[in-house]
Amino acid sequence: MSFVDAAQAHGRKTGQIKLHSAADFEPMRRAGWLAAEALDLLTPMVKPGVTTAELDQFAFQFGMDHRAYPAPLGYRGFRKSICTSINHVVCHGIPDNKPLRHGDIVNIDVTFILDGWHGDSSRMYIVGEAPRRAERLIEVTYEALMRGVAAVKPGATTSDIGAAIQSFAEGERCSVVRDFCGHGLGQLFHDEPNILHYQPTTQNGKKDPGAPLKPGMFFTIEPMINLGRAPVKVLPDGWTAVTRDRSLSAQFEHSVGVTETGVEIFTLSPRGLHQPSDYRPQA
């Protein structure tokens, strides 16, 4: 995989990995903050009886109020501003008018375009109280994400990220979805490199080292972890991916940048609401 100065690519997909300047980190921080703030504000809204269409409308209006456009809206024909993936839905769930039910778990995926830069993040939410197995899946998935993030530093490779995620998740008797991956982003929604959430291998069965990580790379890490087996299928709507065995699935996502010494997370929660256990309703 070759690299290109992001300033010379002018927001075009080139097939090369873009290396951004130190100045490019600031608009990514602003875009990432906006996505994370929206997820924070959605937290108390996720409760039994609320529809995902209502959550979608809130996110759309929040973006408009901040002069930011929801990247999913109109993307390849997608008609909503966010993705809402419930229970056995792995990713790309489409908001609708069906009320959330007590015990559901739901991933909300938000991406805003702010001043031409993309902030992309997702979190899990629990509707009311969930079974312990669902809580444990969420805990495992969040830890898998953070272990992937911790693997990011100059001199490491994209495969190191996947290996960290896979070894932890499978050690917890969960499976890693292989059909979807993280991606480069910045002035494009989806760019190089692909970030696999498992250790890839070459055709002869050896470990694929992946692409080297260099300062200025921007990408998402967004593992999807299943309680059951890894295989998924996409429903006839062309978007909604579900587990084939109908087991529960969970996902967390951060947008990150490779720095000279390690990694910067652009989408940390401004209010410290990183996962459901961090939210405590006020009495």
Side-chain angles (χ1 to χ4, degrees):
M1 177 63 70
S2 60
F3 297 82
V4 64
D5 184 339
Q8 298 178 6
H10 303 295
R12 295 178 291 105
K13 191 164 186 176
T14 64
Q16 300 167 297
I17 298 173
K18 296 181 177 69
L19 297 180
H20 297 83
S21 69
D24 291 339
F25 277 71
E26 185 53 37
M28 284 298 290
R29 292 181 187 117
R30 292 196 297 268
W33 179 91
L34 195 68
E37 175 71 356
L39 291 172
D40 279 359
L41 294 176
L42 283 164
T43 300
M45 298 177 62
V46 179
K47 55 188 177 183
V50 172
T51 69
T52 50
E54 292 176 87
L55 304 179
D56 179 77
Q57 181 57 38
F58 172 84
F60 173 80
Q61 191 60 53
F62 176 84
M64 295 299 99
D65 291 344
H66 290 81
R67 299 182 180 180
Y69 190 80
L73 185 59
Y75 180 79
R76 297 183 178 179
F78 196 79
R79 296 184 178 183
K80 299 294 182 178
S81 298
I82 62 175
C83 296
T84 50
S85 302
I86 303 169
N87 296 332
H88 72 291
V89 178
V90 175
C91 61
H92 304 156
I94 304 172
D96 59 24
N97 291 317
K98 184 178 179 180
L100 293 171
R101 298 179 300 175
H102 186 85
D104 284 342
I105 61 172
V106 55
N107 175 272
I108 301 179
D109 193 338
V110 171
T111 307
F112 287 118
I113 308 170
L114 180 64
D115 300 326
W117 296 84
H118 291 73
D120 188 0
S121 187
S122 81
R123 290 183 213 156
M124 294 301 299
Y125 299 78
I126 295 175
V127 184
E129 295 183 5
R132 177 56 193 151
R133 62 191 178 90
E135 291 181 343
R136 177 178 171 274
L137 173 64
I138 290 172
E139 292 165 0
V140 168
T141 306
Y142 180 75
E143 179 64 21
L145 166 67
M146 297 313 294
R147 291 191 181 214
V149 171
V152 177
K153 59 183 177 182
T157 71
T158 54
S159 289
D160 292 330
I161 300 171
I165 292 169
Q166 181 181 11
S167 63
F168 175 73
E170 292 183 352
E172 294 294 323
R173 303 182 302 284
C174 296
S175 61
V176 180
V177 171
R178 286 162 166 72
D179 299 68
F180 303 97
C181 61
H183 52 87
L185 85 168
Q187 292 180 298
L188 292 180
F189 192 178
H190 295 98
D191 206 348
E192 302 294 341
N194 288 334
I195 305 296
L196 304 182
H197 303 119
Y198 59 93
Q199 171 64 64
T201 56
T202 62
Q203 288 185 342
N204 60 11
K206 294 184 179 180
K207 290 183 178 180
D208 186 335
L213 300 180
K214 296 185 178 184
M217 290 172 63
F218 296 162
F219 50 83
T220 69
I221 305 175
E222 46 185 295
M224 288 143 274
I225 308 298
N226 298 345
L227 265 184
R229 297 182 181 276
V232 308
K233 65 178 180 180
V234 177
L235 298 184
D237 62 28
W239 287 102
T240 308
V242 300
T243 55
R244 284 189 174 273
D245 61 6
R246 296 190 64 84
S247 63
L248 291 176
S249 186
Q251 180 187 21
F252 283 92
E253 175 184 15
H254 274 315
S255 297
V256 305
V258 184
T259 69
E260 296 291 337
T261 57
V263 62
E264 178 175 344
I265 303 175
F266 298 125
T267 48
L268 285 174
S269 165
R271 306 175 189 224
L273 308 179
H274 303 294
Q275 56 175 323
S277 60
D278 295 324
Y279 174 62
R280 296 291 183 270
Q282 297 298 313

